[in-house]
Amino acid sequence: MSEPQPKTDPARMEKIVSLCKRRGFVFQSSEIYGGLNGCWDYGPMGVELKRNLKDYWWRVMVRERDDVVGMDGSILMNRAVWKASGHEETFTDPMVDCRVCKARLRADQLPEKDGVPFCSVCGSRDLTEARAFNLMFMTYVGATQDESSKAYLRPETAQAIFVQFKNVLETSRKKLPFGIAQIGKAFRNEINPRNFTFRSREFEQMELEYFCAPSQGRELLEYWLQQRLSFYEAIGLPREKLHVHEIPATERAFYSQGTYDIEFEFPFGIQELEGVAYRTDYDLTQHTKASGKALDYFDEESKQRFVPHVVEPSAGVDRTALALICSAYDEETVTDEKGKSETRIVLRFHPRIAPVKVGIFPLLKNNEQLVAKAREITALLRPHMMTFYDESGAIGRRYRRQDEIGTPFGITVDFETLGEKGDELKDTVTLRHRDSMKQERVAIKDLLGLILPQL
Ligand code: GAP
């Protein structure tokens, strides 16, 4: 029996998309020219969110481990890479055309009525046969445009890791098992980009290729699945909204000996965030055959030479950022001291990934001393975290603006800070917590010690 699916919530998604634009998370690419389908620009808040996400991934996947090193491969690579990897031949989606409205649609995502597929744009059932459509963007390298200068924008970052396996192994002097990690752009000419940034034509991946002896592959697949689930929890995605889908043998790539999809409950349904795949020795073997260069490993202990197997956790930056925003979005009714109720929109980000960590507010903008003190606190915190200084509008409005971008802490400098109510409160500020809206009095000298451990 299949599990009941959580309801989709298009109205919630609409509000999230609108907030993303209003508060500078995500804009349509080339918007003033009508946009470019499947491409997005990240604004001041979005870029901080993505950076925090990538930095945390790099920290736990590379810097905090002895067995993983990083690399940064080029986006354009020799076309031979994509022939050997199988992408040129088989990296396709099935596509159909609607004969009535001419829409091009993914054959495997067509809506159906009574078992008959129909066009999702005009409703017609007059569709062509499905045919394979290659998702790689093609370009030419150099001044001539012919077969010999053809190249592709990479559709995944992984292949750069495989083809540099020997160089990285030799220069880093690692022993199996060890991994190579990379974060970077990937491009796919998706037939139907959709669900906001979820399925884009230009996106970023965070990939680890973890090389091991053949006997370790199965166990490491389970290990990496658990590591990756812990990662998502550590950035604030609740475990109950994460799902693990084991891909049945009949549906996974022929060379894979096990694949899990880590999925998240988006407002538009349960969808994939990351794939964790045991790819055996397929990739290194393919490149060895095609290049004639051995991509193998000599094990000093057993004195054996073999082609390493690989376990690959492959995550999407944009999808995870979207999951973080969807998960964080909340609305609640709050009532002020005068009994007036209003809806508070708040992004309940984990402080670790929140774009701005602390908002700093002088109570009044036309009081030099308050402003100077607030500026001083900004200078104190800035080297350690992203701050936002805001002196305009009523303090309640300033708090709300920070709530909407998910800033976990607010610091208000008032007359007590200046010592006007006695020495006891001098050089203390109000520290406001975003989620509870509780406020406490904290000495300026204690601020760093209080906030930093939570980031
Ligand atoms: N190297 C393996 C690989 O690329 P994939 O499942 O095709 O595997 C990995 O992609 C991850 O990249 C996905 O789980 C997803 O997070 C992200 N991704 C793939 N296609 C995407 C797209 N069109 N838009 C946004 N993210 C995408």
Side-chain angles (χ1 to χ4, degrees):
M1 217 170 68
S2 62
E3 282 182 32
Q5 292 280 312
K7 280 207 186 83
T8 57
D9 191 345
R12 179 178 166 85
M13 197 57 213
E14 233 170 80
K15 287 184 196 167
I16 289 169
V17 173
S18 141
L19 175 93
C20 279
K21 173 157 190 205
R22 190 170 75 246
R23 300 315 314 268
F25 282 89
V26 183
F27 308 123
Q28 203 184 8
S29 162
S30 338
E31 189 187 287
I32 59 168
Y33 291 104
L36 180 65
N37 201 3
C39 300
W40 302 94
D41 292 343
Y42 287 81
M45 291 304 116
V47 74
E48 289 295 333
L49 177 70
K50 272 215 305 183
R51 188 171 291 266
N52 293 341
L53 170 61
K54 289 187 284 184
D55 284 352
Y56 187 63
W57 188 91
W58 197 259
R59 183 179 129 190
V60 300
M61 300 292 275
V62 183
R63 295 209 170 139
E64 291 183 354
R65 301 185 64 104
D66 291 326
D67 57 349
V68 177
V69 291
M71 70 165 277
D72 185 19
S74 62
I75 287 171
L76 295 172
M77 298 169 77
N78 192 312
R79 183 178 169 190
V81 171
W82 308 109
K83 286 185 197 267
S85 66
H87 282 81
E88 198 171 85
E89 190 71 23
T90 60
F91 194 60
T92 57
D93 274 341
M95 177 177 75
V96 296
D97 286 329
C98 171
R99 289 201 182 87
V100 176
C101 74
K102 310 293 177 215
R104 298 218 133 150
L105 309 159
R106 249 181 81 166
D108 56 344
Q109 289 174 353
L110 290 173
E112 286 186 6
K113 191 155 186 265
D114 304 327
V116 183
F118 61 91
C119 171
S120 52
V121 179
C122 74
S124 162
R125 293 178 169 189
D126 192 1
L127 305 171
T128 61
E129 284 295 307
R131 62 199 184 283
F133 172 77
N134 196 295
L135 299 182
M136 287 196 293
F137 280 100
M138 203 195 68
T139 186
Y140 296 97
V141 174
T144 47
Q145 300 201 345
D146 58 21
E147 266 307 289
S148 67
S149 61
K150 247 189 191 178
Y152 299 102
L153 302 189
R154 66 181 178 198
E156 62 172 20
T157 62
Q159 296 304 321
I161 298 179
F162 295 128
V163 300
Q164 292 296 357
F165 168 75
K166 229 10 203 282
N167 278 334
V168 178
L169 175 69
E170 283 168 11
T171 53
S172 64
R173 296 169 46 244
K174 290 283 168 204
K175 299 220 173 331
L176 288 190
F178 86 99
I180 306 175
Q182 182 173 209
I183 300 178
K185 289 263 186 182
F187 303 82
R188 295 183 191 178
N189 197 2
E190 298 283 356
I191 298 167
N192 284 333
R194 59 184 183 158
N195 290 329
F196 197 25
T197 57
F198 179 84
R199 190 174 302 286
S200 312
R201 290 184 166 138
E202 174 175 341
F203 55 96
E204 269 183 291
Q205 291 185 314
M206 306 181 279
E207 297 200 293
L208 169 70
E209 305 303 325
Y210 196 77
F211 301 98
C212 62
S215 59
Q216 299 169 307
R218 274 297 327 182
E219 201 181 309
L220 283 166
L221 174 68
E222 303 305 322
Y223 167 81
W224 278 110
L225 173 65
Q226 293 312 321
Q227 290 293 306
R228 300 303 303 144
L229 287 169
S230 308
F231 172 87
Y232 289 113
E233 282 189 84
I235 56 173
L237 296 183
R239 182 65 185 84
E240 64 275 12
K241 290 208 162 191
L242 293 166
H243 299 260
V244 177
H245 173 54
E246 184 170 5
I247 310 293
T250 47
E251 287 173 31
R252 59 184 186 236
F254 69 90
Y255 50 78
S256 170
Q257 276 186 26
T259 301
Y260 293 109
D261 279 352
I262 300 178
E263 301 172 329
F264 178 75
E265 280 178 30
F266 288 95
F268 44 83
I270 298 182
Q271 297 280 347
E272 176 190 330
L273 272 186
E274 164 160 358
V276 186
Y278 175 19
R279 300 174 66 104
T280 64
D281 61 357
Y282 175 75
D283 307 272
L284 291 181
T285 303
Q286 286 297 105
H287 288 301
T288 300
K289 280 192 211 153
S291 68
K293 306 278 178 346
L295 298 174
D296 57 4
Y297 178 81
F298 182 70
D299 185 66
E300 300 284 352
E301 266 173 43
S302 64
K303 304 284 177 227
Q304 280 186 330
R305 188 171 282 285
F306 58 89
V307 179
H309 278 209
V310 69
V311 174
E312 174 196 69
S314 170
V317 176
D318 310 77
R319 278 189 192 179
T320 310
L322 183 59
L324 289 166
I325 296 170
C326 291
S327 171
Y329 185 89
D330 196 16
E331 289 174 8
E332 64 179 5
T333 306
V334 288
T335 312
D336 66 16
E337 315 86 62
K338 294 175 195 145
K340 199 174 146 236
S341 293
E342 62 167 0
T343 304
R344 176 171 93 116
I345 295 173
V346 52
L347 291 182
R348 299 189 192 278
F349 286 133
H350 190 295
R352 184 172 277 149
I353 55 104
V356 176
K357 310 301 182 189
V358 51
I360 300 161
F361 320 113
L363 189 62
L364 302 172
K365 73 169 172 192
N366 50 11
N367 180 300
E368 264 177 38
Q369 282 174 295
L370 291 175
V371 168
K373 204 63 175 172
R375 290 281 186 198
E376 212 178 278
I377 296 171
T378 308
L380 171 81
L381 300 181
R382 230 177 210 170
H384 306 274
M385 66 192 77
M386 186 71 184
T387 59
F388 191 96
Y389 173 85
D390 187 2
E391 57 180 26
S392 64
I395 199 76
R397 301 251 341 123
R398 285 184 259 172
Y399 286 152
R400 289 288 181 278
R401 286 202 288 263
Q402 294 303 312
D403 288 344
E404 274 203 338
I405 57 169
T407 306
F409 305 104
I411 291 172
T412 305
V413 175
D414 53 22
F415 291 103
E416 277 100 318
T417 317
L418 303 180
E420 291 194 6
K421 297 229 170 119
D423 276 354
E424 212 177 296
L425 292 177
K426 189 166 188 288
D427 284 330
T428 66
V429 289
T430 303
L431 181 67
R432 175 193 185 257
H433 298 265
R434 175 198 66 203
D435 292 344
S436 62
M437 293 190 287
K438 290 228 167 77
Q439 304 191 1
E440 56 177 328
R441 204 74 204 173
V442 173
I444 294 171
K445 65 175 173 39
D446 295 336
L447 281 171
L448 261 182
L450 239 159
I451 298 173
L452 268 184
Q454 302 187 52
L455 305 183

